Amino acid sequence: MATTVYDTLEIELSDGSNVTLRPLPIKQLKKFMVIIDEMKDPANEEKTEAEAMDVFIRAAIVCLEGMKSPLAENRDQFEEIIDTPTMMKILEVCGGLSLNDPNLLGASLVGMN
């Protein structure tokens, strides 16, 4: 019997459907990290709240691509069904993004006054 070395989490989306989250495979994680690094890029110090949200949305879509979710194929549908707390949970479980990371949160707040 094989042992699973990661945890999964099943979440319910606002449309009532369920998605089982798990850590991303390496290939998807690399794509995820490139997107998230945009938040830390010193050249992007003037990110607006909308631009920061766009980074998070694109990263969450990469997470869903790894699970072969149809939401990953349709950004409009994604934005209709996913709320912010759910999106942040997707980023946390799939990409290992900690909401308590002061560097990431600080980078996302730059220019949002």
Side-chain angles (χ1 to χ4, degrees), residues 36 38-41 44-45 47 52 101-112:
I36 291 300
E38 292 177 22
M39 296 296 288
K40 298 177 183 177
D41 185 357
N44 290 328
E45 289 182 10
K47 276 211 179 300
D101 181 348
N103 294 326
L104 179 67
L105 292 177
S108 67
L109 294 174
V110 170
M112 290 189 193

Side-chain angles (χ1 to χ4, degrees), residues 1-59:
M1 175 182 254
T3 301
T4 304
V5 295
Y6 58 85
D7 294 325
T8 61
L9 176 67
E10 186 169 338
I11 60 171
E12 183 175 333
L13 305 178
S14 65
D15 68 349
S17 64
N18 294 324
V19 174
T20 301
L21 304 177
R22 63 173 181 75
L24 290 172
I26 299 297
K27 185 174 184 174
Q28 293 300 115
L29 185 60
K30 287 179 179 180
K31 288 173 65 175
F32 175 87
M33 291 168 62
V34 167
I35 293 169
I36 291 300
D37 278 347
E38 292 177 22
M39 296 296 288
K40 298 177 183 177
D41 185 357
N44 290 328
E45 289 182 10
E46 297 299 320
K47 276 211 179 300
T48 65
E49 188 171 345
E51 289 168 335
M53 181 64 74
D54 182 66
V55 170
F56 289 138
I57 289 169
R58 288 186 293 124

Side-chain angles (χ1 to χ4, degrees), residues 77-88:
Q77 183 183 14
F78 175 90
E79 291 182 12
E80 289 288 329
I81 293 176
I82 305 292
D83 55 40
T84 302
T86 302
M87 179 178 64
M88 297 313 256

